[in-house]
Amino acid sequence: TMEDVIEIVGEDNSLAIIKAAKIAEISKSCNAIIVAGIDLELTQGAVHFNLSIEDQANIANLFRVVELGGTEFPYQSGVCRIYTAAEIAQIYIAAQTLITTQTTYHNALKAYVQSLEGAEEISAVTYGMTLPEPYLSEMNAKLAVAQAQMNAITEKLGN
């Protein structure tokens, strides 16, 4: 509680500590959603892709093969199989969309938490809540730019 924080650290530092704790909480939630990954329906059925940092790097490298003209490549996601260039692009775009959406939302939520001045307000913030204005509009504008770029990639690769 706020009273516990004040008793331990003093009133001058309590709000900063409450904000830091809330930001750590939302960061952990964001990371958990990203790492949990994505499920995609591909030509050979549904496949789950984890998105740990290592998995993200592997998917980026896989996509690089397509950028350089590769038409298929093996990848391990549960079971190693050969993915077509179109599937690799689909995996990459879905992964990047999730990562961008979650990190953009996280950063907007973090800015919102930083703007709050009351412990109760800060405590009420939860990951997944609808952002208030202007944070929501700013986030949506950034996500629109990202989506336009994902569309440009799709067009460049011929769907």
Side-chain angles (χ1 to χ4, degrees):
T1 66
M2 179 67 157
E3 292 78 23
D4 293 335
V5 172
I6 291 170
E7 185 177 321
I8 294 168
V9 299
E11 193 157 348
D12 292 342
N13 297 322
S14 62
L15 195 59
I17 289 173
I18 291 169
K19 284 181 181 183
K22 181 54 74 172
I23 290 168
E25 174 189 310
I26 64 175
S27 295
K28 184 177 177 181
S29 295
C30 176
N31 188 61
I33 290 169
I34 291 170
V35 170
I38 54 173
D39 294 311
L40 293 175
E41 191 63 42
L42 301 172
T43 55
Q44 295 181 9
V47 183
H48 178 77
F49 295 90
N50 295 319
L51 292 177
S52 68
I53 296 298
E54 296 84 8
D55 294 316
Q56 290 177 41
N58 290 337
I59 290 169
N61 290 336
L62 189 64
F63 185 67
R64 186 76 179 127
V65 169
V66 172
E67 287 180 308
L68 294 172
T71 58
E72 59 185 7
F73 207 81
Y75 183 70
Q76 173 86 22
S77 181
V79 174
C80 189
R81 63 172 269 220
I82 306 295
Y83 291 94
T84 66
E87 289 175 322
I88 292 168
Q90 185 180 353
I91 295 162
Y92 176 79
I93 289 170
Q96 285 307 120
T97 299
L98 175 71
I99 293 163
T100 301
T101 300
Q102 293 303 315
T103 56
T104 303
Y105 174 76
H106 167 267
N107 289 331
L109 192 59
K110 180 180 170 183
Y112 174 58
V113 167
Q114 292 288 14
S115 75
L116 299 174
E117 294 299 325
E120 293 76 24
E121 289 177 300
I122 296 167
S123 294
V125 171
T126 58
Y127 199 85
M129 67 181 271
T130 300
L131 290 166
E133 291 298 340
Y135 304 97
L136 181 61
S137 293
E138 291 170 5
M139 179 190 74
N140 286 337
K142 292 170 185 164
L143 291 176
V145 169
Q147 185 59 53
Q149 295 310 303
M150 291 297 119
N151 293 344
I153 290 170
T154 301
E155 286 178 29
K156 182 177 180 180
L157 294 174
N159 199 20

